[in-house]
Amino acid sequence: MKKSDIQIFLAHASEDKPAVLALYNRLKQAGYKPWLDKKDLIPGQIWRDEIPKAIKASQIFLACLSGKSANKQGYIQRELRIALDTLGEMLPGTIFFIPMRLEECEIPDLRMSEVGLNLRDIHRLDYWEEDGFEQLERAITYQFKLEPEEPKQPLSVFNFEVVGVNAKGEQIKKESKQSQYFSEDLGDGITLEMVAIPGGTFLMGTEDEEIERLVKKFNWDGFRSERPQHRVTVSSFYMGRYPITQSQWKAIAATAKIDIDLETNPSNFKGDELPVESVNWYEATEFCKRLSRETKREYRLPSEAEWEYACRAGTTTPFYFGETITGKFANYRASETYAEEAKGEYRQQTTPVGQFPPNAFGLYDMHGNVWEWCADTWHDNYDGAPTDGSVWIKNGNDNRSPLRGGFWYNDPDYCRSACRTDGSRRGNSVYDYGFRVVCGAGRTL
């Protein structure tokens, strides 16, 4: 199912009509089919006839109540009564969003098992709060297992070469590949290329024996956050071919504010084709929101699972190149070694994106250059981690989020596909923090 298949009935009190109208427009912009009497009743139609029809045709009944209308629920109760009376005729899987606690609800049918309504399908959402729309989208995506939205234009194909190295850093293979992608036009000749990442299953994290070897060799206990190794199945999605560049950042940062202001040129190292850096988690998230608004497609930060799956691109070795990494193939502190490779050049700053060989999905700079923010909250290990690629929020530290991939200053062990930071504060804007975006179905646990 796609967003365009989902009709959302908006029940509301008259006091909240301006806010609900704004919600209607945002839902429509996001690709859903909202239904609101003020917008969708044709002149001459009688609401008593049309509203029951609209309710029956909806997959979601959304009761919109703010604090000022919480004690004036008559209109919403009447519509909900219609919904409950016609429950047997409504589309299978219809879900109800009620912005109040069930024990506070004055509609007794909602507390009666005889009505046949599965109470697990009743969600209390504070969608009037700052992140309310994101709450709503996550719940809808989870309930309906939304498919990635197809790009407006046909996918294009690009060709590239991948390389492989042995433990000595010697190139042992070169192979031609191709991937599909679409481009977003950000204006002034600036584009954002999004690569199609096929769904699949992989082993996330690092096995215990290898973790203990790494701890001993590199003297860092942080490797233990990569356990337990676990199998994850990821749905298909689109991911940025490169980290977000400074030119892409400037194009979106210049658009209207949604939640927070964005500096148009925050990076320490300047250059349009260099990755943007010195960006904190909140700023990266604001960028995604503005990009979503401008392109009318949902963009977000990747989950940790999506990031690692995309980085590995089917490989099980420490790096997508193979057993080790060299300064010839990535930007990091190559004066330090990981395995048996020779020392290489330490460049001491970011490099233009796309300068080094990509992985088998056609993604560049997944090792080194800049750390990349993920959407998850920080967890000290993978105990209880979701196995479906979800953004992992539950029971995490919501002041911190993981970063992935390592950066230009890091030793090579930090650049491994499985390596995680120990959870940076979301408000930190450091000259090694950047990000890339994803587009497509995803959910939050």
Side-chain angles (χ1 to χ4, degrees):
M1 181 174 283
K2 299 180 181 180
K3 289 181 179 180
S4 56
D5 299 321
I6 296 175
Q7 180 162 302
I8 303 174
F9 184 90
L10 299 175
H12 60 93
S14 58
E15 291 84 355
D16 295 317
K17 182 148 297 206
V20 175
L21 187 58
L23 176 61
Y24 173 94
N25 290 331
R26 191 167 182 186
L27 286 167
K28 198 154 192 172
Q29 186 180 61
Y32 300 101
K33 293 193 299 185
W35 198 98
L36 181 64
D37 55 1
K38 184 176 181 180
K39 297 288 289 186
D40 296 296
L41 276 179
I42 299 172
Q45 287 184 328
I46 301 174
W47 74 266
R48 289 182 182 83
D49 297 330
E50 298 305 318
I51 284 180
K53 293 178 185 177
I55 291 174
K56 290 177 188 178
S58 298
Q59 286 80 11
I60 294 174
F61 182 96
L62 183 55
C64 303
L65 284 175
S66 66
K68 63 183 178 182
S69 64
N71 296 322
K72 300 179 180 180
Q73 304 170 16
Y75 187 67
I76 291 180
Q77 288 190 27
R78 183 166 59 245
E79 293 181 338
L80 184 54
R81 179 66 264 170
I82 294 172
L84 291 173
D85 286 344
T86 60
L87 190 62
E89 303 175 61
M90 296 176 75
L91 291 172
T94 299
I95 54 176
F96 292 73
F97 294 94
I98 312 293
M100 65 186 83
R101 298 187 187 281
L102 289 177
E103 61 269 20
E104 299 170 356
C105 184
E106 297 179 6
I107 307 170
D109 302 80
L110 284 179
R111 298 192 297 269
M112 294 171 57
S113 59
E114 291 80 3
V115 78
L117 184 63
N118 187 341
L119 296 188
R120 288 177 301 179
D121 291 340
I122 301 178
H123 302 254
R124 180 179 184 270
L125 288 173
D126 296 321
Y127 42 79
W128 300 101
E129 301 298 326
E130 181 177 322
D131 66 343
F133 191 80
E134 285 70 31
Q135 289 184 47
L136 179 60
E137 288 236 276
R138 289 196 295 265
I140 294 172
T141 298
Y142 172 69
Q143 180 76 14
F144 293 101
K145 297 179 175 57
L146 294 184
E147 301 170 9
E149 292 292 309
E150 288 297 322
K152 296 174 185 176
Q153 63 274 56
L155 293 178
S156 301
V157 173
F158 69 99
N159 299 300
F160 55 93
E161 288 186 331
V162 298
V163 299
V165 301
N166 59 21
K168 294 182 179 181
E170 299 166 338
Q171 184 175 317
I172 56 175
K173 73 172 183 178
K174 179 182 285 189
E175 188 177 356
S176 296
K177 296 274 188 180
Q178 66 175 208
S179 288
Q180 293 183 306
Y181 75 102
F182 70 91
S183 292
E184 295 283 17
D185 183 359
L186 305 185
D188 295 327
I190 300 167
T191 59
L192 170 64
E193 296 180 351
M194 299 297 296
V195 177
I197 307 299
T201 300
F202 78 113
L203 274 176
M204 184 175 183
T206 305
E207 60 184 7
D208 288 348
E209 184 178 345
E210 175 65 7
I211 285 175
E212 295 311 313
R213 187 190 72 81
L214 291 168
V215 170
K216 184 177 180 180
K217 180 175 181 178
F218 296 104
N219 193 31
W220 187 53
D221 287 338
F223 296 119
R224 295 195 172 102
S225 70
E226 299 169 23
R227 64 165 51 131
Q229 195 175 44
H230 57 293
R231 192 168 296 279
V232 178
T233 299
V234 178
S235 299
S236 60
F237 60 100
Y238 299 93
M239 190 175 213
R241 188 172 177 179
Y242 313 107
I244 293 297
T245 65
Q246 292 178 36
S247 61
Q248 291 166 342
W249 174 271
K250 290 173 187 174
I252 298 302
T255 64
K257 167 183 174 181
I258 293 180
D259 293 324
I260 62 174
D261 293 321
L262 294 178
E263 184 181 341
T264 57
N265 194 15
S267 300
N268 180 59
F269 303 109
K270 307 296 185 184
D272 284 348
E273 295 310 307
L274 294 177
V276 70
E277 25 89 359
S278 304
V279 173
N280 68 36
W281 186 91
Y282 299 105
E283 291 164 338
T285 301
E286 172 75 8
F287 178 96
C288 292
K289 291 178 180 178
R290 295 193 194 183
L291 178 62
S292 300
R293 178 190 62 201
E294 297 302 312
T295 62
K296 296 180 173 57
R297 215 185 330 262
E298 182 186 357
Y299 283 92
R300 56 186 173 82
L301 295 176
S303 69
E304 264 202 282
E306 288 172 329
W307 193 97
E308 185 171 328
Y309 173 77
C311 179
R312 289 185 179 278
T315 62
T316 58
T317 49
F319 306 91
Y320 65 69
F321 304 115
E323 295 297 331
T324 194
I325 188 173
T326 78
K328 181 180 178 181
F329 297 136
N331 181 24
Y332 66 100
R333 186 186 286 265
S335 56
E336 301 296 324
T337 61
Y338 180 79
E340 303 167 37
E341 77 277 9
K343 292 182 179 181
E345 180 184 0
Y346 169 36
R347 297 173 177 85
Q348 302 186 55
Q349 67 172 69
T350 56
T351 50
V353 300
Q355 183 171 308
F356 302 102
N359 67 12
F361 287 157
L363 301 175
Y364 292 75
D365 297 292
M366 297 296 281
H367 297 312
N369 220 1
V370 290
W371 281 113
E372 298 183 13
W373 284 110
C374 292
D376 312 61
T377 57
W378 174 253
H379 297 78
D380 291 335
N381 54 52
Y382 291 133
D383 286 334
T387 59
D388 60 357
S390 303
V391 175
W392 191 16
I393 300 295
K394 187 176 180 181
N395 299 325
N397 184 339
D398 59 8
N399 289 319
R400 294 178 178 269
S401 281
L403 293 127
R404 289 300 203 114
F407 77 112
W408 59 267
Y409 181 84
N410 277 141
D411 291 349
D413 48 298
Y414 287 92
C415 300
R416 294 174 305 111
S417 299
C419 189
R420 318 169 66 211
T421 57
D422 55 357
S424 181
R425 292 188 179 278
R426 289 181 167 183
N428 285 355
S429 299
V430 184
Y431 58 82
D432 52 352
Y433 290 1
F435 67 104
R436 73 179 72 209
V437 296
V438 299
C439 175
R443 67 186 184 100
T444 302
L445 289 181

